[in-house]
Amino acid sequence: MANIVTSVCCVVLAAVVVVYAQRRSQQGARIQYERIGSDVTMQCGSLDTNASVTWKVNGTDVKARRREEGSRLVLMDVNMSSNGLYSCFQNPDGERRDQINLRVGLPPREPQVTCRSNTYPKGFYCSWHLQHSTYIPTDFEVNVQHNQRSLEVRRDEVHKNRCHVKFPELFSSFPYRVNVTAVNALGRKSNTITFEEFSIVKPDPPEKVVAKPIPNNVRRLEVTWSSPSTWPDVENFPLKYFLRYRPLIRDQWQHVELSDSTSHTITDAYVGKEYIIQLAAKDMEIGTWSDWSVAVHATPWTEEPKPITSTTEVEVLTDITPSPAPPSAKPRVGVAAGGCSTLLWSSHLLLACILLSIMW
Amino acid sequence: MAKLPQDIHQAQLTLLLAAVMGCSQVLDQSVSLASERTSIERTYELTKYLDHQLKEIRDTYLSYLGPPFSDRDFSPPRPNSSSLSLPSAATRVDLWRGLENGVRLAQNQRAYTILLCAVKELASSTLCPYLQSSLLHFCSGLSGLLGAISGLMNTLGYTPPSHGNIPPLQGTTPIISAAPAPNDFSRKVEGFWVLRELQSWLQRSAKDFNRLKKRLRA
């Protein structure tokens, strides 16, 4: 029993020692960032310029084009293969004096910045990226100005290259200026974009798109959806929608634009054909259309299961059911006027009844 | 015995009258509500039309002003209120949401009253004839909008604010400063801001009328 305990202890101790040693050896190394294509000078610690040292990279001899000048190693025209852990050993005792982790890269170029508001009127977010890689760690500083004031910027927890800003006011006449600076050990570069509040509004696509056949209607499909969940206030900031649909076998889409309604009935579907349907959303007045929603498929109701045949224009004529006028897209005034005439008629009826009862 | 039929007769007549009155009142209300919704809808469409028209006029006007106004993304600092009394469309979301119908309309009315004067002054000081006639044509559209807003306020029973509240319109205090030896550049900046603020107001008004439509429907 005691033997087992002792051996376990020994193993644990050995592991700890190894890890500590490894850590220590790496801790000694300092990182040196250099530009691709340049000549790099590495200095061996605080040794005299005339001291004699031996250089190794990742434990092996340095084979690249170089000049050794006393305690300095000069690598010529470095590239990505020059990356490595360089160690220098003092001659003749062979004691290691320094360790340099050489990382070769590029200074940053202008970052590409875009901003968008999918949560209008709450706020907007900006994303950025570098078109060309720097190969070394690069940070970004973001600054947002509006009406000569700096706005508070909140970095996204998940997306590294994204930040969020709240709109300080609505219907502003002042533009927003977003400045993103890319910074790394070799340099910095910034880019500024300017925009007006209304131009960056772009909602997320509509959600929960459902298309269903309607029983006993061979040419109809009922489509329902909901406003994107990221849009905070669809009541005060209503959306309008764009619905497009086509049978799978055709390339041309048909379009319907709908205001402030989350359902629509397609009344001119080809009998028995499978349809693909998509939706997009936009603020009623400002900004741009969202991306298309996820596509849904649906086939109109048929009396018995039909195999999908190749369609021709003639097939349209075989359907003799008259399609009544399209619903939902009617302006609301029409509904009010309709209600009015019903009221008029019923009041006339009432009058007639009263007159009759008097005469009776 | 003879009295009874007469009483019944009278009661029936009263009932008849009451029914007729009731019917006509209900009719009236539904008709006026419908017509209000139509006039709000029309005013809404008018603001969208004017917004679209203004974009073109603004582009022409900015090229007329020349650089740096004609440069993309150029935005001069707004002149302080002593020289330019433009109503700002900017507001906090929560305040905007909670606006009473009457207050909402009154704010719009006040803004366009001032802006109409400002655009008229702009037109009169514009040297390019084509631009001047475009601006004057736009002014007639703007005054149509003002009329529609005033009409709405009357129909909905909101008293328009007394003229004492609005700064004098009849030319005594020009909106755009006519200060001694006005700097040409600062006059251009003021002209820029008149049209910029007008654009913001037209965008805001569209949302204002949409909001009104919804509140009245409820």
Side-chain angles (χ1 to χ4, degrees):
Chain A
M1 193 64 180
N3 276 343
I4 295 171
V5 171
T6 322
S7 18
V8 166
C9 278
C10 283
V11 168
V12 168
L13 194 61
V16 168
V17 166
V18 165
V19 167
Y20 179 69
Q22 258 186 359
R23 277 263 192 99
R24 191 145 192 279
S25 74
Q26 270 177 19
Q27 250 172 17
R30 53 192 165 85
I31 307 178
Q32 188 167 329
Y33 292 106
E34 295 288 349
R35 201 186 167 132
I36 293 178
S38 64
D39 295 343
V40 171
T41 305
M42 280 185 278
Q43 170 68 40
C44 185
S46 47
L47 287 182
D48 238 8
T49 348
N50 301 324
S52 169
V53 298
T54 310
W55 288 92
K56 294 251 193 229
V57 58
N58 296 333
T60 58
D61 294 326
V62 181
K63 293 192 182 62
R65 265 181 61 214
R66 68 196 181 283
R67 267 194 339 264
E68 293 191 42
E69 299 166 350
S71 62
R72 290 203 312 270
L73 173 67
V74 180
L75 293 174
M76 326 283 268
D77 193 23
V78 295
N79 54 35
M80 294 303 289
S81 60
S82 317
N83 280 340
L85 188 64
Y86 290 79
S87 319
C88 60
F89 303 87
Q90 186 166 30
N91 294 331
D93 55 43
E95 196 183 324
R96 196 183 67 206
R97 289 296 188 174
D98 202 359
Q99 271 198 310
I100 302 166
N101 191 347
L102 180 68
R103 301 282 301 279
V104 165
L106 292 166
R109 292 210 227 172
E110 215 171 69
Q112 307 287 304
V113 187
T114 51
C115 297
R116 175 181 163 219
S117 174
N118 60 342
T119 56
Y120 189 75
K122 270 206 189 135
F124 62 93
Y125 71 87
C126 294
S127 324
W128 53 86
H129 71 276
L130 289 172
Q131 264 190 319
H132 303 94
S133 179
T134 56
Y135 308 105
I136 57 175
T138 308
D139 278 326
F140 297 91
E141 294 163 2
V142 185
N143 177 265
V144 180
Q145 294 276 324
H146 174 255
N147 192 6
Q148 297 167 325
R149 277 195 344 260
S150 268
L151 299 180
E152 193 187 306
V153 173
R154 182 177 65 85
R155 297 293 279 257
D156 193 293
E157 286 115 28
V158 174
H159 300 97
K160 220 168 40 80
N161 289 1
R162 193 185 283 195
C163 69
H164 299 268
V165 184
K166 289 204 181 95
F167 279 120
E169 59 184 11
L170 217 55
F171 313 120
S172 177
S173 302
F174 294 99
Y176 292 83
R177 257 182 242 273
V178 176
N179 179 303
V180 177
T181 311
V183 191
N184 67 19
L186 300 175
R188 56 194 301 141
K189 196 85 168 82
S190 70
N191 188 9
T192 307
I193 63 164
T194 310
F195 54 82
E196 307 275 359
E197 170 191 315
F198 60 84
S199 64
I200 58 164
V201 177
K202 177 178 168 176
D204 285 329
E207 295 171 6
K208 299 199 199 105
V209 183
V210 175
K212 286 201 298 252
I214 300 176
N216 303 311
N217 277 288
V218 294
R219 299 201 67 188
R220 291 186 174 215
L221 284 169
E222 194 197 355
V223 191
T224 53
W225 61 90
S226 37
S227 64
S229 52
T230 45
W231 195 257
D233 189 359
V234 79
E235 189 57 39
N236 285 297
F237 296 89
L239 295 168
K240 60 179 174 181
Y241 301 96
F242 210 68
L243 189 152
R244 69 175 186 181
Y245 60 99
R246 66 172 172 87
L248 274 182
I249 44 180
R250 289 209 176 255
D251 290 327
Q252 241 183 342
W253 294 94
Q254 276 177 280
H255 302 106
V256 183
E257 190 170 312
L258 302 149
S259 279
D260 213 10
S261 147
T262 51
S263 66
H264 177 71
T265 306
I266 297 168
T267 55
D268 59 351
Y270 289 140
V271 175
K273 299 294 168 240
E274 188 179 344
Y275 271 78
I276 177 168
I277 296 151
Q278 277 183 307
L279 274 139
K282 180 183 171 302
D283 177 272
M284 286 278 238
E285 289 91 29
I286 60 177
T288 51
W289 285 100
S290 71
D291 292 335
W292 288 108
S293 71
V294 155
V296 293
H297 294 240
T299 312
W301 179 91
T302 45
E303 249 185 79
E304 64 213 30
K306 265 188 199 175
I308 296 179
T309 55
S310 60
T311 191
T312 56
E313 296 303 310
V314 180
E315 198 161 353
V316 176
L317 294 169
T318 61
D319 178 34
I320 51 167
T321 326
S323 344
S328 58
K330 241 191 180 148
R332 298 238 158 39
V333 178
V335 172
C340 226
S341 58
T342 325
L343 210 54
L344 206 62
W345 198 79
S346 52
S347 68
H348 285 154
L349 192 61
L350 184 62
L351 264 168
C353 286
I354 293 169
L355 279 166
L356 271 169
S357 64
I358 291 171
M359 292 194 315
W360 188 272
Chain B
M1 206 41 192
K3 243 192 165 189
L4 211 53
Q6 214 177 19
D7 283 338
I8 297 173
H9 194 71
Q10 267 185 347
Q12 282 173 334
L13 257 174
T14 328
L15 255 171
L16 171 64
L17 270 166
V20 170
M21 296 270 291
C23 277
S24 58
Q25 259 195 353
V26 172
L27 257 173
D28 243 351
Q29 253 181 20
S30 64
V31 166
S32 67
L33 258 178
S35 75
E36 272 145 22
R37 283 203 286 273
T38 327
S39 32
I40 295 179
E41 181 68 36
R42 273 206 293 261
T43 319
Y44 169 78
E45 295 295 337
L46 182 54
T47 53
K48 299 234 313 205
Y49 170 71
L50 288 171
D51 180 39
H52 181 78
Q53 220 186 5
L54 181 60
K55 281 192 181 81
E56 289 182 32
I57 295 181
R58 254 191 94 207
D59 283 341
T60 318
Y61 187 74
L62 292 176
S63 9
Y64 160 76
L65 288 181
F69 300 94
S70 49
D71 296 338
R72 211 181 92 88
D73 295 343
F74 176 71
S75 181
R78 198 187 161 131
N80 57 30
S81 49
S82 61
S83 65
L84 191 64
S85 57
L86 281 180
S88 173
T91 175
R92 272 188 16 222
V93 186
D94 50 343
L95 293 175
W96 180 82
R97 254 192 218 121
L99 280 176
E100 280 300 314
N101 294 347
V103 177
R104 198 181 286 272
L105 283 168
Q107 282 188 358
N108 273 273
Q109 191 190 51
R110 182 178 172 269
Y112 289 116
T113 312
I114 299 173
L115 285 165
L116 178 59
C117 279
V119 180
K120 278 188 183 149
E121 281 174 34
L122 208 70
S124 62
S125 63
T126 303
L127 301 172
C128 167
Y130 166 75
L131 193 51
Q132 192 179 60
S133 69
S134 296
L135 284 168
L136 288 171
H137 178 72
F138 186 77
C139 282
S140 57
L142 257 188
S143 64
L145 177 60
L146 249 181
I149 296 173
S150 304
L152 260 177
M153 288 180 80
N154 279 326
T155 332
L156 293 171
Y158 303 119
T159 41
S162 63
H163 286 285
N165 290 347
I166 303 171
L169 309 168
Q170 261 63 39
T172 50
T173 334
I175 310 295
I176 301 181
S177 67
N183 181 315
D184 189 46
F185 184 78
S186 62
R187 277 191 75 92
K188 286 185 176 182
V189 168
E190 286 171 359
F192 174 94
W193 275 102
V194 167
L195 295 183
R196 182 70 197 88
E197 206 57 71
L198 186 52
Q199 190 104 68
S200 293
W201 263 106
L202 286 169
Q203 280 162 0
R204 173 177 155 169
S205 294
K207 295 210 176 292
D208 274 324
F209 296 129
N210 234 333
R211 186 94 192 89
L212 254 167
K213 233 194 320 186
K214 286 216 159 132
R215 286 184 99 151
L216 284 177
R217 203 189 301 153

